[in-house]
Amino acid sequence: MLQARFQEWGYLHFKGVVSANDCNAVKQGFLAALSPYITANAVGMPELNGEPFFETDPIWDAVYPKMQSLEAFQALFHRPELQDLMAKVRGAEVFVYPMKMARIATPRKLGYETPPHQDAYSHHAGPTMAGLWVALHDVDESMGRLKLLPKSHKHGVRNVFQAQGVGGVQCEIFPEENTWHVSNVEQGDVIIFHACTVHKAEPNTADKAVRLSVDTRFCDYGAPVFISNIEPHHGWRIEALSWESIYAGWADTSLQYYWRDYPGLFSEMRDQSEWHREN
């Protein structure tokens, strides 16, 4: 049932999968790394102090290695409840990509939010790859929610062009595609979406509220994974960001370099349209 619904709509929204304790551990670790630029208000919600910043800005580059080094963040996607959910949606054993993403959506930085795109293009991914997004706290309509274009995965990998915002590219949107799905989410909610499902971020129009969320990618175990996905997110451009620096000081070493023996790594570009033709 879950697999059929996923293939029909291209995404699924699950309520309260991740516990408050696990979400708060990651959120609080992020806030420690983000201080003094972002801190918690009286009810524990992230708020911006000073001017907004954007992915690849100097402030972002300074705080991001600290966020990536948080053991609770890197380990979150390997929690049994998320592993079980991914396997149910795919109907197979899954491989979680080493590249994990932490998102910081600050207010008053309009026009720099993530444009419509497909992960199949940006991750050079095959048809079994999917994205998994987790809300670390409640997110309302002012804070830059995740928007998805239902059934857009059925058209395969699309043409792209340059655009402002995270990633720097936008995919083609067809004229008849004018209905997006979006809703407020609560702490611990999970959204899983197909590699070809078009998705984007809404602008954060709040006064001070910051949206912190995390996401990764996964695929059927043994499916092809492009080699860039085993590197830390933005490790290619931030010198201080490496697995050695991320793992320094971890209490549990069991997840370190867990992908080294993965059988599906490849380094040459492949024809994604062929992979997705039947999906």
Side-chain angles (χ1 to χ4, degrees), residues 2-3 5-6 9-14 89 190-193:
L2 280 180
Q3 296 165 40
R5 188 170 180 82
F6 182 70
W9 291 97
Y11 81 94
L12 295 169
H13 180 179
F14 299 92
V89 170
V190 169
I191 297 175
I192 294 179
F193 48 93

Side-chain angles (χ1 to χ4, degrees), residues 35-271:
S35 178
Y37 310 106
I38 296 171
T39 56
N41 65 14
V43 295
M45 295 292 284
E47 285 192 349
L48 179 68
N49 301 312
E51 294 302 310
F53 56 92
F54 166 72
E55 188 168 308
T56 72
D57 282 350
I59 291 176
W60 192 92
D61 282 2
V63 300
Y64 200 60
K66 301 175 187 176
M67 298 173 73
Q68 282 286 325
S69 297
L70 184 65
E71 186 174 354
F73 160 56
Q74 293 285 344
L76 179 68
F77 304 98
H78 300 269
R79 295 281 305 167
E81 58 270 29
L82 287 178
Q83 290 278 309
D84 290 347
L85 185 62
M86 288 183 271
K88 287 177 180 176
V89 170
R90 285 299 321 157
E93 181 186 0
V94 299
F95 173 72
V96 178
Y97 278 28
M99 182 184 289
K100 316 293 196 302
M101 281 71 79
R103 309 296 183 180
I104 312 165
T106 62
R108 309 190 311 277
K109 194 74 173 177
L110 306 184
Y112 289 85
E113 58 275 0
T114 307
H117 68 285
Q118 295 174 299
D119 286 344
Y121 173 85
S122 55
H123 290 272
H124 312 301
T128 75
M129 194 202 81
L132 186 148
W133 182 94
V134 181
L136 296 180
H137 54 78
D138 296 354
V139 179
D140 66 25
E141 60 274 10
S142 71
M143 297 168 65
R145 300 172 301 181
L146 176 64
K147 295 185 75 169
L148 302 111
L149 192 57
K151 302 185 180 183
S152 56
H153 64 300
K154 296 183 177 183
H155 298 287
V157 183
R158 306 179 182 210
N159 295 326
V160 300
F161 51 90
Q162 282 190 318
Q164 184 171 263
V166 176
V169 296
Q170 175 175 329
C171 69
E172 181 179 11
I173 305 296
F174 303 127
E176 68 274 12
E177 294 179 321
N178 49 29
T179 300
W180 293 76
H181 285 188
V182 62
S183 70
N184 292 352
V185 294
E186 297 177 320
Q187 184 182 59
D189 284 6
V190 169
I191 297 175
I192 294 179
F193 48 93
H194 191 283
C196 283
T197 295
V198 178
H199 57 288
K200 64 179 180 178
E202 290 184 313
N204 185 335
T205 60
D207 179 40
K208 297 184 69 176
V210 175
R211 188 255 292 162
L212 299 177
S213 61
V214 296
D215 55 280
T216 192
R217 306 296 175 263
F218 67 95
C219 63
D220 291 2
Y221 191 87
V225 173
F226 192 63
I227 197 167
S228 63
N229 292 290
I230 70 166
E231 298 299 324
H233 188 225
H234 280 271
W236 62 89
R237 50 171 296 276
I238 301 178
E239 186 175 353
L241 191 47
S242 66
W243 289 121
E244 289 75 15
S245 63
I246 287 172
Y247 292 151
W250 276 26
D252 182 358
T253 62
S254 62
L255 290 176
Q256 295 181 6
Y257 304 106
Y258 68 90
W259 62 89
R260 279 182 166 167
D261 296 325
Y262 183 70
L265 294 179
F266 70 96
S267 57
E268 294 182 4
M269 295 299 295
R270 299 185 178 187
D271 185 351

